[in-house]
Amino acid sequence: MIGKRFSTAAASVTVATAALTGVLAAPAAQAAAAPKPAAAPAKSAAAAAAECGVRAHDNRLWCGNSGSAPTRQQPFHESPITGLLQSTFSYFTCWSPGGLHGGGNTTWYRTVPDWSSDGQEGYVPADWVFTPSWFDANPTAYGLRRC
């Protein structure tokens, strides 16, 4: 029984290592091929903010974000939760003004959640995304379309 547990754990680690190696070895190729990025290793907020930006190949905002962020049907906190963004580095397809949130502004970003009740994109307040405040002030100026 103990041997079976170790072999199962070893197989899981091998699969996870192989998957992570693919993410680190070819991020651009994987990003172009996959509709949603694989979970990346945890990063500091400063490191994630430094990587944050709109990529020219797909016009999406790629940025670090808080894990376990609920996505909402509309860009305000009173809107129903329709999904959960569990990854900590994600892409966001567009932005929208909405309700005031903990970041002190009204910018919300739309994304495809890792789990969804309806299969649709949802909104995350900017304070859950590691964007700088100057970016949140006008994401369109940096290439992200308004929803």
Side-chain angles (χ1 to χ4, degrees):
M1 184 63 131
I2 292 174
K4 183 171 181 153
R5 285 187 191 160
F6 284 133
S7 64
T8 302
S12 296
V13 169
T14 302
V15 169
T17 302
L20 185 56
T21 301
V23 170
L24 296 176
Q30 180 157 350
K36 187 74 176 159
K43 300 176 184 184
S44 71
E51 271 187 61
C52 205
V54 178
R55 295 186 182 170
H57 76 277
D58 62 5
N59 295 319
R60 294 174 176 165
L61 168 65
W62 290 80
C63 198
N65 56 274
S66 298
S68 298
T71 59
R72 300 197 179 264
Q73 187 175 36
Q74 298 295 321
F76 51 90
H77 285 294
E78 297 78 16
S79 183
I81 294 173
T82 59
L84 186 63
L85 185 60
Q86 296 173 305
S87 57
T88 57
F89 191 82
S90 305
Y91 70 80
F92 301 87
T93 57
C94 60
W95 74 278
S96 181
L100 183 65
H101 54 73
N105 63 58
T106 59
T107 300
W108 290 64
Y109 295 102
R110 192 167 74 187
T111 189
V112 176
D114 299 305
W115 172 86
S116 175
S117 63
D118 61 5
Q120 301 296 312
E121 290 187 341
Y123 290 91
V124 176
D127 62 331
W128 285 74
V129 182
F130 301 149
T131 48
S133 58
W134 50 262
F135 185 94
D136 293 338
N138 185 6
T140 301
Y142 304 99
L144 186 64
R145 72 178 179 88
R146 185 172 171 168
C147 300

